[in-house]
Amino acid sequence: MKSGDAAKQRIGGSHGSTPDTVREALRRAISAGELAPGLQLRQDELAEKFGTSRIPVREALRQLEAEGFVTFLPNRGAVVSDLSIDEVVELLEIRIALECHALRLAIPAMGDIDLDDARAILRSYDEEPDPEKWGAFNWRFHKSLYAPCNRPRLLAMIQANYGHVGRFTRALVSRATGKDRPQREHYQLLEFCRDGEVEKAVRLLREHIVQTQKTLRSAQRHASRDTAG
């Protein structure tokens, strides 16, 4: 079984899946890197996997197209979208704007439960040896910091943007940086949040994401050089 077929098998849903169910499952699979850029998404195969007709699948794919996860190509239909390095860097700039705003709103509303939950995630992150799983811990930590802002639409935009960024940065950045430096910054960020240091926390978050931009470009240059060699 090909890797794309295996991924499609894993995301199969229950009988009578709605467009929202199909969209969420496909979005998760694309964001996690289970469905690679350029992979063709055949509507009849997906309908069979989800136990539904092609109509909900077609609607879900159109919604994912609007979100940038799927592209419709002549003679191929829907494929998983690919992005250039410049487009990913731009998404990271958007990430800075959205997440810094969310954090500024969230810190005054944080309680001990929120902060303790974030620390527990970091401790689990510390103990995880598999780089393939670091991205999920990273997202859980950042999501836990922004949740107290109580802005559902803002949080949904952050999650969608992070899904785009994560699938292109996960392999390159995680292996290039390790997790020591990001984790040190995460713990410092958490302390700023606990102390109510809003501007210090926002400044560190911005620097944290800017570093990802720099690492991504550096890792991409080295990957291109190695391929050429």
Side-chain angles (χ1 to χ4, degrees), residues 138-158:
N138 186 70
W139 166 241
R140 284 177 57 200
F141 171 69
H142 283 274
K143 182 180 179 181
S144 73
L145 293 186
Y146 310 144
C149 80
N150 195 29
R151 300 293 196 281
R153 292 187 180 183
L154 174 60
L155 294 172
M157 292 171 67
I158 289 172

PDB file of all heavy atoms in Angstrom, residues 138-158:
ATOM      1  N   ASN A 138       4.336  21.242  20.701  1.00  0.00           N
ATOM      2  CA  ASN A 138       4.513  22.686  20.524  1.00  0.00           C
ATOM      3  C   ASN A 138       3.168  23.372  20.335  1.00  0.00           C
ATOM      4  O   ASN A 138       2.887  24.411  20.954  1.00  0.00           O
ATOM      5  CB  ASN A 138       5.428  22.946  19.329  1.00  0.00           C
ATOM      6  CG  ASN A 138       5.770  24.417  19.187  1.00  0.00           C
ATOM      7  OD1 ASN A 138       6.501  24.981  19.985  1.00  0.00           O
ATOM      8  ND2 ASN A 138       5.242  25.034  18.141  1.00  0.00           N
ATOM      9  N   TRP A 139       2.326  22.790  19.468  1.00  0.00           N
ATOM     10  CA  TRP A 139       1.008  23.374  19.224  1.00  0.00           C
ATOM     11  C   TRP A 139       0.145  23.344  20.478  1.00  0.00           C
ATOM     12  O   TRP A 139      -0.519  24.330  20.810  1.00  0.00           O
ATOM     13  CB  TRP A 139       0.313  22.660  18.073  1.00  0.00           C
ATOM     14  CG  TRP A 139      -1.152  22.996  18.000  1.00  0.00           C
ATOM     15  CD1 TRP A 139      -2.202  22.148  18.113  1.00  0.00           C
ATOM     16  CD2 TRP A 139      -1.725  24.296  17.816  1.00  0.00           C
ATOM     17  NE1 TRP A 139      -3.387  22.826  18.019  1.00  0.00           N
ATOM     18  CE2 TRP A 139      -3.133  24.146  17.838  1.00  0.00           C
ATOM     19  CE3 TRP A 139      -1.194  25.567  17.641  1.00  0.00           C
ATOM     20  CZ2 TRP A 139      -4.007  25.218  17.687  1.00  0.00           C
ATOM     21  CZ3 TRP A 139      -2.061  26.646  17.493  1.00  0.00           C
ATOM     22  CH2 TRP A 139      -3.442  26.464  17.516  1.00  0.00           C
ATOM     23  N   ARG A 140       0.163  22.235  21.209  1.00  0.00           N
ATOM     24  CA  ARG A 140      -0.646  22.140  22.431  1.00  0.00           C
ATOM     25  C   ARG A 140      -0.245  23.212  23.433  1.00  0.00           C
ATOM     26  O   ARG A 140      -1.105  23.815  24.089  1.00  0.00           O
ATOM     27  CB  ARG A 140      -0.487  20.748  23.054  1.00  0.00           C
ATOM     28  CG  ARG A 140      -1.247  19.635  22.353  1.00  0.00           C
ATOM     29  CD  ARG A 140      -0.956  18.294  23.002  1.00  0.00           C
ATOM     30  NE  ARG A 140      -1.282  18.320  24.434  1.00  0.00           N
ATOM     31  CZ  ARG A 140      -0.800  17.452  25.318  1.00  0.00           C
ATOM     32  NH1 ARG A 140       0.055  16.515  24.933  1.00  0.00           N
ATOM     33  NH2 ARG A 140      -1.159  17.537  26.578  1.00  0.00           N
ATOM     34  N   PHE A 141       1.054  23.457  23.552  1.00  0.00           N
ATOM     35  CA  PHE A 141       1.517  24.482  24.488  1.00  0.00           C
ATOM     36  C   PHE A 141       1.036  25.862  24.069  1.00  0.00           C
ATOM     37  O   PHE A 141       0.444  26.604  24.861  1.00  0.00           O
ATOM     38  CB  PHE A 141       3.042  24.460  24.578  1.00  0.00           C
ATOM     39  CG  PHE A 141       3.603  25.627  25.352  1.00  0.00           C
ATOM     40  CD1 PHE A 141       3.405  25.724  26.724  1.00  0.00           C
ATOM     41  CD2 PHE A 141       4.294  26.637  24.703  1.00  0.00           C
ATOM     42  CE1 PHE A 141       3.895  26.820  27.441  1.00  0.00           C
ATOM     43  CE2 PHE A 141       4.799  27.720  25.404  1.00  0.00           C
ATOM     44  CZ  PHE A 141       4.596  27.812  26.786  1.00  0.00           C
ATOM     45  N   HIS A 142       1.282  26.229  22.826  1.00  0.00           N
ATOM     46  CA  HIS A 142       0.877  27.559  22.362  1.00  0.00           C
ATOM     47  C   HIS A 142      -0.642  27.720  22.435  1.00  0.00           C
ATOM     48  O   HIS A 142      -1.145  28.775  22.855  1.00  0.00           O
ATOM     49  CB  HIS A 142       1.382  27.793  20.944  1.00  0.00           C
ATOM     50  CG  HIS A 142       2.839  28.131  20.875  1.00  0.00           C
ATOM     51  ND1 HIS A 142       3.306  29.413  21.014  1.00  0.00           N
ATOM     52  CD2 HIS A 142       3.932  27.351  20.713  1.00  0.00           C
ATOM     53  CE1 HIS A 142       4.618  29.418  20.920  1.00  0.00           C
ATOM     54  NE2 HIS A 142       5.027  28.177  20.738  1.00  0.00           N
ATOM     55  N   LYS A 143      -1.369  26.683  22.048  1.00  0.00           N
ATOM     56  CA  LYS A 143      -2.830  26.738  22.107  1.00  0.00           C
ATOM     57  C   LYS A 143      -3.306  26.976  23.536  1.00  0.00           C
ATOM     58  O   LYS A 143      -4.247  27.751  23.769  1.00  0.00           O
ATOM     59  CB  LYS A 143      -3.416  25.440  21.562  1.00  0.00           C
ATOM     60  CG  LYS A 143      -4.934  25.387  21.530  1.00  0.00           C
ATOM     61  CD  LYS A 143      -5.418  24.047  20.979  1.00  0.00           C
ATOM     62  CE  LYS A 143      -6.930  23.964  20.956  1.00  0.00           C
ATOM     63  NZ  LYS A 143      -7.405  22.645  20.434  1.00  0.00           N
ATOM     64  N   SER A 144      -2.647  26.323  24.503  1.00  0.00           N
ATOM     65  CA  SER A 144      -3.057  26.488  25.903  1.00  0.00           C
ATOM     66  C   SER A 144      -2.839  27.919  26.392  1.00  0.00           C
ATOM     67  O   SER A 144      -3.592  28.407  27.245  1.00  0.00           O
ATOM     68  CB  SER A 144      -2.298  25.500  26.797  1.00  0.00           C
ATOM     69  OG  SER A 144      -0.939  25.875  26.955  1.00  0.00           O
ATOM     70  N   LEU A 145      -1.823  28.598  25.867  1.00  0.00           N
ATOM     71  CA  LEU A 145      -1.577  29.985  26.267  1.00  0.00           C
ATOM     72  C   LEU A 145      -2.615  30.939  25.692  1.00  0.00           C
ATOM     73  O   LEU A 145      -2.990  31.919  26.340  1.00  0.00           O
ATOM     74  CB  LEU A 145      -0.185  30.435  25.804  1.00  0.00           C
ATOM     75  CG  LEU A 145       1.033  29.779  26.450  1.00  0.00           C
ATOM     76  CD1 LEU A 145       2.303  30.471  25.954  1.00  0.00           C
ATOM     77  CD2 LEU A 145       0.956  29.829  27.970  1.00  0.00           C
ATOM     78  N   TYR A 146      -3.087  30.671  24.483  1.00  0.00           N
ATOM     79  CA  TYR A 146      -3.993  31.598  23.823  1.00  0.00           C
ATOM     80  C   TYR A 146      -5.457  31.367  24.198  1.00  0.00           C
ATOM     81  O   TYR A 146      -6.277  32.284  24.085  1.00  0.00           O
ATOM     82  CB  TYR A 146      -3.854  31.496  22.298  1.00  0.00           C
ATOM     83  CG  TYR A 146      -2.436  31.563  21.804  1.00  0.00           C
ATOM     84  CD1 TYR A 146      -2.013  30.805  20.712  1.00  0.00           C
ATOM     85  CD2 TYR A 146      -1.497  32.377  22.429  1.00  0.00           C
ATOM     86  CE1 TYR A 146      -0.711  30.848  20.263  1.00  0.00           C
ATOM     87  CE2 TYR A 146      -0.178  32.429  21.986  1.00  0.00           C
ATOM     88  CZ  TYR A 146       0.202  31.660  20.906  1.00  0.00           C
ATOM     89  OH  TYR A 146       1.500  31.701  20.465  1.00  0.00           O
ATOM     90  N   ALA A 147      -5.788  30.162  24.637  1.00  0.00           N
ATOM     91  CA  ALA A 147      -7.187  29.817  24.905  1.00  0.00           C
ATOM     92  C   ALA A 147      -7.898  30.799  25.847  1.00  0.00           C
ATOM     93  O   ALA A 147      -9.071  31.132  25.614  1.00  0.00           O
ATOM     94  CB  ALA A 147      -7.275  28.405  25.460  1.00  0.00           C
ATOM     95  N   PRO A 148      -7.237  31.314  26.915  1.00  0.00           N
ATOM     96  CA  PRO A 148      -7.945  32.227  27.821  1.00  0.00           C
ATOM     97  C   PRO A 148      -8.382  33.546  27.185  1.00  0.00           C
ATOM     98  O   PRO A 148      -9.168  34.280  27.795  1.00  0.00           O
ATOM     99  CB  PRO A 148      -6.918  32.477  28.942  1.00  0.00           C
ATOM    100  CG  PRO A 148      -6.047  31.273  28.933  1.00  0.00           C
ATOM    101  CD  PRO A 148      -5.927  30.918  27.486  1.00  0.00           C
ATOM    102  N   CYS A 149      -7.912  33.859  25.991  1.00  0.00           N
ATOM    103  CA  CYS A 149      -8.338  35.122  25.366  1.00  0.00           C
ATOM    104  C   CYS A 149      -9.823  35.093  25.018  1.00  0.00           C
ATOM    105  O   CYS A 149     -10.444  36.143  24.834  1.00  0.00           O
ATOM    106  CB  CYS A 149      -7.508  35.441  24.130  1.00  0.00           C
ATOM    107  SG  CYS A 149      -7.976  34.567  22.610  1.00  0.00           S
ATOM    108  N   ASN A 150     -10.401  33.879  24.885  1.00  0.00           N
ATOM    109  CA  ASN A 150     -11.839  33.719  24.655  1.00  0.00           C
ATOM    110  C   ASN A 150     -12.298  34.458  23.402  1.00  0.00           C
ATOM    111  O   ASN A 150     -13.303  35.169  23.417  1.00  0.00           O
ATOM    112  CB  ASN A 150     -12.636  34.195  25.881  1.00  0.00           C
ATOM    113  CG  ASN A 150     -14.079  33.728  25.848  1.00  0.00           C
ATOM    114  OD1 ASN A 150     -14.386  32.677  25.285  1.00  0.00           O
ATOM    115  ND2 ASN A 150     -14.972  34.499  26.444  1.00  0.00           N
ATOM    116  N   ARG A 151     -11.563  34.270  22.321  1.00  0.00           N
ATOM    117  CA  ARG A 151     -11.922  34.843  21.021  1.00  0.00           C
ATOM    118  C   ARG A 151     -11.977  33.693  20.017  1.00  0.00           C
ATOM    119  O   ARG A 151     -10.979  33.384  19.359  1.00  0.00           O
ATOM    120  CB  ARG A 151     -10.899  35.885  20.567  1.00  0.00           C
ATOM    121  CG  ARG A 151     -10.718  37.085  21.480  1.00  0.00           C
ATOM    122  CD  ARG A 151     -11.958  37.970  21.525  1.00  0.00           C
ATOM    123  NE  ARG A 151     -11.660  39.277  22.093  1.00  0.00           N
ATOM    124  CZ  ARG A 151     -11.537  39.553  23.383  1.00  0.00           C
ATOM    125  NH1 ARG A 151     -11.674  38.560  24.271  1.00  0.00           N
ATOM    126  NH2 ARG A 151     -11.289  40.768  23.810  1.00  0.00           N
ATOM    127  N   PRO A 152     -13.124  33.017  19.894  1.00  0.00           N
ATOM    128  CA  PRO A 152     -13.200  31.800  19.067  1.00  0.00           C
ATOM    129  C   PRO A 152     -12.742  31.992  17.626  1.00  0.00           C
ATOM    130  O   PRO A 152     -12.057  31.123  17.073  1.00  0.00           O
ATOM    131  CB  PRO A 152     -14.690  31.428  19.128  1.00  0.00           C
ATOM    132  CG  PRO A 152     -15.164  32.021  20.418  1.00  0.00           C
ATOM    133  CD  PRO A 152     -14.401  33.306  20.581  1.00  0.00           C
ATOM    134  N   ARG A 153     -13.099  33.106  17.013  1.00  0.00           N
ATOM    135  CA  ARG A 153     -12.707  33.300  15.614  1.00  0.00           C
ATOM    136  C   ARG A 153     -11.201  33.530  15.494  1.00  0.00           C
ATOM    137  O   ARG A 153     -10.556  33.017  14.563  1.00  0.00           O
ATOM    138  CB  ARG A 153     -13.475  34.483  15.018  1.00  0.00           C
ATOM    139  CG  ARG A 153     -14.962  34.209  14.858  1.00  0.00           C
ATOM    140  CD  ARG A 153     -15.669  35.315  14.115  1.00  0.00           C
ATOM    141  NE  ARG A 153     -17.094  35.042  13.978  1.00  0.00           N
ATOM    142  CZ  ARG A 153     -17.943  35.811  13.333  1.00  0.00           C
ATOM    143  NH1 ARG A 153     -17.520  36.942  12.756  1.00  0.00           N
ATOM    144  NH2 ARG A 153     -19.223  35.489  13.246  1.00  0.00           N
ATOM    145  N   LEU A 154     -10.649  34.288  16.405  1.00  0.00           N
ATOM    146  CA  LEU A 154      -9.206  34.509  16.405  1.00  0.00           C
ATOM    147  C   LEU A 154      -8.471  33.189  16.613  1.00  0.00           C
ATOM    148  O   LEU A 154      -7.497  32.885  15.904  1.00  0.00           O
ATOM    149  CB  LEU A 154      -8.827  35.503  17.512  1.00  0.00           C
ATOM    150  CG  LEU A 154      -7.329  35.742  17.740  1.00  0.00           C
ATOM    151  CD1 LEU A 154      -6.658  36.294  16.480  1.00  0.00           C
ATOM    152  CD2 LEU A 154      -7.128  36.710  18.916  1.00  0.00           C
ATOM    153  N   LEU A 155      -8.940  32.391  17.547  1.00  0.00           N
ATOM    154  CA  LEU A 155      -8.303  31.102  17.820  1.00  0.00           C
ATOM    155  C   LEU A 155      -8.412  30.156  16.628  1.00  0.00           C
ATOM    156  O   LEU A 155      -7.477  29.405  16.342  1.00  0.00           O
ATOM    157  CB  LEU A 155      -8.927  30.462  19.065  1.00  0.00           C
ATOM    158  CG  LEU A 155      -8.670  31.210  20.381  1.00  0.00           C
ATOM    159  CD1 LEU A 155      -9.490  30.588  21.511  1.00  0.00           C
ATOM    160  CD2 LEU A 155      -7.193  31.213  20.732  1.00  0.00           C
ATOM    161  N   ALA A 156      -9.543  30.210  15.928  1.00  0.00           N
ATOM    162  CA  ALA A 156      -9.708  29.375  14.738  1.00  0.00           C
ATOM    163  C   ALA A 156      -8.738  29.805  13.633  1.00  0.00           C
ATOM    164  O   ALA A 156      -8.164  28.957  12.933  1.00  0.00           O
ATOM    165  CB  ALA A 156     -11.152  29.456  14.235  1.00  0.00           C
ATOM    166  N   MET A 157      -8.540  31.113  13.483  1.00  0.00           N
ATOM    167  CA  MET A 157      -7.577  31.617  12.492  1.00  0.00           C
ATOM    168  C   MET A 157      -6.160  31.185  12.848  1.00  0.00           C
ATOM    169  O   MET A 157      -5.379  30.796  11.975  1.00  0.00           O
ATOM    170  CB  MET A 157      -7.677  33.133  12.408  1.00  0.00           C
ATOM    171  CG  MET A 157      -8.976  33.649  11.818  1.00  0.00           C
ATOM    172  SD  MET A 157      -9.147  35.455  11.981  1.00  0.00           S
ATOM    173  CE  MET A 157      -7.823  36.009  10.899  1.00  0.00           C
ATOM    174  N   ILE A 158      -5.830  31.249  14.136  1.00  0.00           N
ATOM    175  CA  ILE A 158      -4.502  30.830  14.584  1.00  0.00           C
ATOM    176  C   ILE A 158      -4.281  29.356  14.294  1.00  0.00           C
ATOM    177  O   ILE A 158      -3.225  28.956  13.796  1.00  0.00           O
ATOM    178  CB  ILE A 158      -4.326  31.123  16.089  1.00  0.00           C
ATOM    179  CG1 ILE A 158      -4.213  32.634  16.319  1.00  0.00           C
ATOM    180  CG2 ILE A 158      -3.098  30.404  16.648  1.00  0.00           C
ATOM    181  CD1 ILE A 158      -4.236  33.035  17.778  1.00  0.00           C
TER     182      ILE A 158
END
